[in-house]
Amino acid sequence: DPNNPDGITLKEITNQLLPRIYVAVTNKNEVALLDTDTGMKLWQKPSYGANPSRTAVTFDGTVWVGNRCLIGGRDNDYSCSSTVHLDLDGNLICRADTGGWIRGVAVDADGNVWAGAYNGQTVYKISGTEVDRNQNPPRCKILGSLNVGVPVYGLAVDGRGFLWTASSP
């Protein structure tokens, strides 16, 4: 509300380079790409896991998706709970074996990806470019991990390069 002195007003702009948005279609284990100018769905493809929850768009317009396997006892079943990188057509580039219900995904200025696990209370740093194509499916290289001691419910990287996490509870 621009008339509320305590409110925040965001400037309305159009992304001319990539007027699109990725949406996790949780109950279908899919991700959809929508054209924000027309509202048309361009495609809807598998998330290569279960219950996709979070997305983060890279500099080239591809998307990273966090899957959170809600099936009991399958937190570390990477075919179900993982972080995946999809190309512009929704095809799998690679899968990072990150379990524990991925509930936060963010991309940093170097193009690396951060994935946060709700159940695992861990944040993973994943290479935005390194892929092991000798495995099936191809694996994204995990550069490191850190136990943050709280269930991760969202991630963001700010302009200074700091990684922020939201937690629940």
Side-chain angles (χ1 to χ4, degrees):
D1 178 1
N3 298 317
N4 179 350
D6 296 325
I8 297 173
T9 302
L10 302 176
K11 183 177 179 181
E12 186 176 321
I13 61 170
T14 301
N15 179 346
Q16 297 299 323
L17 297 175
L18 191 67
R20 298 176 179 168
I21 188 170
Y22 291 94
V23 178
V25 186
T26 300
N27 61 340
K28 292 189 175 187
N29 301 330
E30 295 176 339
V31 178
L33 177 62
L34 307 178
D35 183 308
T36 57
D37 286 337
T38 66
M40 300 275 304
K41 180 169 45 174
L42 302 174
W43 52 255
Q44 188 166 326
K45 301 277 183 92
S47 71
Y48 298 92
N51 306 105
S53 172
R54 304 293 192 261
T55 62
V57 181
T58 64
F59 305 117
D60 64 2
T62 60
V63 66
W64 287 82
V65 181
N67 288 299
R68 56 190 168 113
C69 191
L70 300 178
I71 302 166
R74 292 185 63 189
D75 285 10
N76 293 312
D77 175 347
Y78 303 126
S79 67
C80 188
S81 188
S82 60
T83 307
V84 297
H85 189 190
L86 305 180
D87 69 15
L88 292 171
D89 295 320
N91 301 309
L92 181 70
I93 295 172
C94 62
R95 180 184 83 200
D97 293 343
T98 54
W101 295 11
I102 300 303
R103 297 287 296 197
V105 183
V107 180
D108 66 23
D110 295 326
N112 292 313
V113 177
W114 297 83
Y118 183 87
N119 280 0
Q121 300 185 357
T122 300
V123 175
Y124 299 90
K125 183 178 183 181
I126 305 164
S127 171
T129 58
E130 296 178 72
V131 177
D132 180 354
R133 298 192 191 289
N134 293 320
Q135 297 188 57
N136 188 18
R139 296 300 197 283
C140 314
K141 182 176 183 180
I142 297 175
L143 302 174
S145 64
L146 174 67
N147 184 299
V148 293
V150 294
V152 176
Y153 203 71
L155 290 176
V157 178
D158 69 18
R160 298 172 296 170
F162 290 107
L163 178 67
W164 295 83
T165 180
S167 302
S168 175

